[in-house]
Amino acid sequence: MLHLRLNTRVVAATNPAAVLSELGRAGPWALDNPKASAGDAFPPDLVALALENLAMAEANRLAEAIRDAGGAAAIIPMRDAHNGDVETVLTGSRRQFAALVDRLGEASGGGAALAREVERALANHARRRFDIRLGARRLSVGPRPAVMGVLNVTPDSFSDGGRFISPADAVRQAERLAAEGADLIDVGGESTRPGSDPVPEDVELERVLPVVETLASRLQVPISIDTRRARVAREAASAGACLVNDVTGLQGDPDMPAAVAETGVGCVIMHMLGEPKTMQAHPQYDNLMADICRHLRRGMQAAHDAGVPDDAVIVDPGIGFGKTLAHNLEILARLGQLRTLGAPVMVGPSRKRFIGDLTGVETPADRVPGTAAACAMAVAAGALLVRVHDVAEVRQALAVAAAVAETNERES
Ligand code: HH2
């Protein structure tokens, strides 16, 4: 299972500049390894791996093992760690990490557990295919990415509010999304745009249930319910939804993990900082990707503890949910780190504010080219699902992006 304490992340792979920047966090002494030559320290298949909350003895053990194998290590004090715990960043080639795993695996004490954690993180990060369990159905993703079409049955969503509030219009739009090649359709009855207030539960139920029921009986495409409420999730699952997309990452409604487990549906665990009402007021992180990774890990642990099978889980960094423009860009640039979690990664950049900030395009519906570019970059970084309003346009962009990503992988 996941390691909550260590929050292990493959922070960079095959990008020496990114690896150097990670090591640079420790200061100039990070690369001080008399056993490593420059060639050893920066081989072409260089990987950097970060582990948090290590006792100094554990950190030294890992650092010694990677240095013995010819790699390098940095030990970084952790802010707010009262017990002297540290973070370590290890770098080396895949071969050097294999040597570390062998060496630590033979050791007594906690060495074998650390070796298993390193091995699992690297294996998760390298994984490119998933067969996601959605109730009785399966959705295969990778290398071909899947596209989730957005259907907001709301009067006030930021880009399509009010367009599909009548069940007839909603069903027509869903049929269009399916015809355009959507692999999933995500029905939402509550806007979670920045500044929004929660809607009463009964209103949310009234909006989504007739639509979910009709779509589940009429369409082949699996239906997802975008909700943070366990009762809505349970009733939508009874009406035929086979995935729950929860923007609180199963950490909002305390009954949500049980609702997902008991109905047997899949779930999307998303990261959000705070609440929609206030999330865009000065969002701040200690270490953006590490903080997101930790939150997603907590949601995955809650799902696991409630009995949700591990292959029913998707993770999502939550573009725009308590993030500045710089945060959103960093997420898209470093998305690959989330692959360490061992679950397929989804992103939802569709028509969002950050595209307007970058381009000056104020009307969300006019941000489709920016959406397609963001999705293409995300897929190149390892996302296997994208959540979008404009399925046909994004499908076309992804056909190109996925083919290039696949070629890149064949060659590396
Ligand atoms: N974004 C929105 C809603 N749900 N779910 C996931 N997993 N990822 C996302 O990025 C995401 C999401 C916001 O977009 P939208 O549904 O179009 O807007 P609104 O919340 O205003 O209805």
Side-chain angles (χ1 to χ4, degrees):
M1 205 23 227
L2 286 170
H3 210 305
L4 275 180
R5 172 174 65 102
L6 301 179
N7 195 25
T8 316
R9 287 172 303 134
V10 174
V11 288
T14 66
N15 180 351
V19 171
L20 275 172
S21 119
E22 283 296 332
L23 282 172
R25 294 198 285 131
W29 44 273
L31 293 175
D32 180 19
N33 178 9
K35 291 182 190 144
S37 70
D40 270 346
F42 299 102
D45 62 342
L46 189 62
V47 173
L49 188 79
L51 299 99
E52 297 173 357
N53 298 308
L54 291 159
M56 190 54 97
E58 292 178 303
N60 281 332
R61 209 163 186 180
L62 283 164
E64 208 171 288
I66 197 70
R67 286 174 181 153
D68 278 348
I75 294 178
I76 306 168
M78 289 195 61
R79 208 144 55 96
D80 301 333
H82 306 298
N83 51 5
D85 278 359
V86 292
E87 178 182 355
T88 185
V89 180
L90 310 173
T91 75
S93 64
R94 297 249 167 208
R95 185 183 55 75
Q96 289 164 338
F97 272 101
L100 168 145
V101 167
D102 280 351
R103 186 171 316 230
L104 280 183
E106 290 159 10
S108 56
L114 287 174
R116 271 201 308 279
E117 177 63 9
V118 168
E119 201 173 24
R120 185 169 39 201
L122 293 174
N124 282 348
H125 189 264
R127 185 166 170 194
R128 294 290 182 273
R129 283 168 201 262
F130 292 84
D131 215 14
I132 307 166
R133 188 195 295 266
L134 304 175
R137 310 171 64 153
R138 292 269 177 178
L139 177 69
S140 294
V141 294
R144 178 186 179 275
V147 175
M148 170 186 265
V150 179
L151 181 63
N152 285 317
V153 194
T154 56
D156 55 350
S157 285
F158 80 94
S159 86
D160 54 0
R163 288 191 57 205
F164 312 117
I165 191 81
S166 92
D169 287 341
V171 170
R172 211 167 307 120
Q173 173 66 0
E175 285 172 344
R176 193 175 126 196
L177 295 172
E180 289 180 355
D183 299 285
L184 290 154
I185 292 178
D186 191 34
V187 179
E190 177 189 57
S191 171
T192 47
R193 71 189 185 288
S196 59
D197 285 309
V199 301
E201 189 170 78
D202 288 351
V203 174
E204 188 182 351
L205 283 166
E206 267 168 43
R207 287 177 184 169
V208 296
L209 285 184
V211 175
V212 169
E213 201 166 354
T214 311
L215 295 183
S217 62
R218 262 210 227 170
L219 297 182
Q220 283 301 308
V221 181
I223 306 302
S224 153
I225 178 74
D226 184 352
T227 186
R228 15 182 199 166
R229 293 193 170 109
R231 181 164 160 227
V232 178
R234 286 181 193 275
E235 296 202 19
S238 301
C242 55
L243 181 70
V244 172
N245 175 23
D246 180 2
V247 297
T248 74
L250 307 194
Q251 291 156 78
D253 186 332
D255 185 37
M256 190 60 112
V260 173
E262 286 162 22
T263 53
V265 298
C267 63
V268 181
I269 293 175
M270 200 195 81
H271 174 272
M272 169 165 67
L273 184 70
E275 278 283 310
K277 184 83 186 159
T278 51
M279 66 191 176
Q280 288 305 104
H282 311 298
Q284 277 180 335
Y285 296 86
D286 278 345
N287 177 341
L288 176 74
M289 293 311 289
D291 292 1
I292 291 175
C293 196
R294 195 177 307 110
H295 180 91
L296 296 176
R297 226 175 255 273
R298 270 191 227 115
M300 292 174 80
Q301 187 72 48
H304 182 84
D305 292 347
V308 177
D310 293 346
D311 61 359
V313 174
I314 297 165
V315 293
D316 183 331
I319 298 271
F321 284 83
K323 278 102 183 175
T324 62
L325 170 62
H327 292 146
N328 289 318
L329 295 176
E330 185 176 339
I331 289 169
L332 287 170
R334 301 192 174 172
L335 196 67
Q337 294 187 17
L338 300 182
R339 299 201 316 242
T340 315
L341 294 170
V345 176
M346 171 184 281
V347 279
S350 194
R351 301 183 179 182
K352 282 185 179 166
R353 177 74 250 162
F354 82 101
I355 300 174
D357 291 342
L358 290 169
T359 60
V361 176
E362 276 306 312
T363 308
D366 292 340
R367 297 176 185 154
V368 184
T371 301
C375 290
M377 297 297 285
V379 164
L384 290 175
L385 302 104
V386 295
R387 178 184 181 278
V388 295
H389 303 81
D390 305 283
V391 170
E393 292 84 346
V394 169
R395 262 257 155 269
Q396 186 181 108
L398 291 194
V400 178
V404 176
E406 235 183 292
T407 306
N408 204 9
E409 232 137 73
R410 264 203 310 275
E411 285 170 359
S412 63

